[in-house]
Amino acid sequence: AQSVTQPDIHITVSEGASLELRCNYSYGATPYLFWYVQSPGQGLQLLLKYFSGDTLVQGIKGFEAEFKRSQSSFNLRKPSVHWSDAAEYFCAVEGRGGGNKLTFGTGTQLKVEL
Amino acid sequence: GAVVSQHPSWVICKSGTSVKIECRSLDFQATTMFWYRQFPKQSLMLMATSNEGSKATYEQGVEKDKFLINHASLTLSTLTVTSAHPEDSSFYICSARDALAVRNTIYFGEGSWLTVV
């Protein structure tokens, strides 16, 4: 069965510092990969997605993620974090071919120190 | 971008009553919609997948008679929590698949807070 692991439950960084959130997946084949962000009491906003091609994906709000097949990872990065980036971040996978459901990781809570 | 709207954003109901939450795709047709439940500081748990014009597919452990899902049109799916109890209090989120978008993109609603008293 497919699964998504986000090893870090909480991460605290200083404003202006770089950020990397880890995501590992277990799936029979390379799935579609997503990162979502959720502010408290809000729905989910898609940051970026990987389907194929270039393994470095650019997203909104200055985020990027790199797909590494050999490590079954899809880590999210940002060079310089802003206080407004504090939120919950979810990695998700979907089976190829479309029409499949998303499987979410447990999330990483990001705190930003001013 | 595509918008998915949920209504109500929050609702308080008495124990034993039923409450309906609507999920609408505002500018695209959604052949498939998904309903999730999220407990505080936890991830999203998929409850069911609804396809327009057919019965919903429920995940293991989700009571289909308690959580009634209807997907009567290409832009509307509803979740009805029947005979609600305090343990049903949660944050419910829907998402909708835009079948015509690139790679069947999924969009999420803003969520609905349900409190059963």
Side-chain angles (χ1 to χ4, degrees):
Chain A
Q2 62 191 55
S3 66
V4 183
T5 303
Q6 292 181 246
D8 304 304
I9 299 175
H10 297 102
I11 283 185
T12 301
V13 299
S14 299
E15 189 174 37
S18 63
L19 171 70
E20 183 170 33
L21 302 182
R22 296 183 291 168
C23 173
N24 293 94
Y25 66 90
S26 174
Y27 201 74
T30 300
Y32 298 143
L33 298 158
F34 306 83
W35 274 100
Y36 288 89
V37 61
Q38 184 182 34
S39 297
Q42 302 289 317
L44 274 69
Q45 181 180 25
L46 179 65
L47 287 176
L48 47 77
K49 55 193 176 186
Y50 172 77
F51 291 131
S52 65
D54 193 345
T55 56
L56 185 61
V57 181
Q58 301 298 319
I60 62 171
K61 303 184 179 185
F63 286 93
E64 66 179 26
E66 185 172 13
F67 166 61
K68 292 185 177 180
R69 184 190 306 275
S70 61
Q71 299 177 19
S72 296
S73 69
F74 189 57
N75 294 348
L76 181 71
R77 300 194 296 247
K78 186 169 185 178
S80 178
V81 171
H82 188 263
W83 64 267
S84 60
D85 293 324
E88 186 85 18
Y89 290 80
F90 293 99
C91 181
V93 303
E94 178 189 0
R96 287 190 171 267
N100 292 319
K101 57 189 178 183
L102 285 172
T103 299
F104 285 88
T106 51
T108 298
Q109 178 73 48
L110 173 65
K111 293 185 179 180
V112 180
E113 292 181 332
L114 300 177
Chain B
V3 177
V4 174
S5 174
Q6 278 186 245
H7 178 80
S9 299
W10 57 270
V11 58
I12 301 173
C13 71
K14 291 184 177 180
S15 185
T17 63
S18 295
V19 61
K20 180 184 289 187
I21 300 171
E22 294 185 345
C23 178
R24 292 181 184 273
S25 56
L26 298 185
D27 52 0
F28 65 95
Q29 293 184 333
T31 53
T32 305
M33 288 186 172
F34 305 88
W35 286 95
Y36 295 85
R37 183 173 182 176
Q38 186 180 30
F39 292 103
K41 299 188 183 300
Q42 294 191 24
S43 188
L44 283 74
M45 293 178 52
L46 180 65
M47 299 174 66
T49 302
S50 73
N51 293 294
E52 186 265 338
S54 63
K55 291 184 178 180
T57 302
Y58 290 81
E59 295 298 303
Q60 190 173 8
V62 178
E63 300 177 60
K64 62 178 66 177
D65 294 330
K66 181 169 186 61
F67 298 99
L68 301 179
I69 291 172
N70 182 273
H71 193 160
S73 77
L74 286 172
T75 59
L76 174 65
S77 176
T78 60
L79 166 67
T80 302
V81 182
T82 62
S83 187
H85 289 94
E87 57 264 30
D88 298 325
S89 300
S90 189
F91 190 52
Y92 292 89
I93 305 176
C94 74
S95 66
R97 182 183 300 280
D98 183 352
L100 297 180
V102 175
R103 309 289 189 180
N104 290 322
T105 305
I106 295 175
Y107 300 96
F108 282 81
E110 289 297 308
S112 299
W113 284 101
L114 170 62
T115 301
V116 184
V117 298

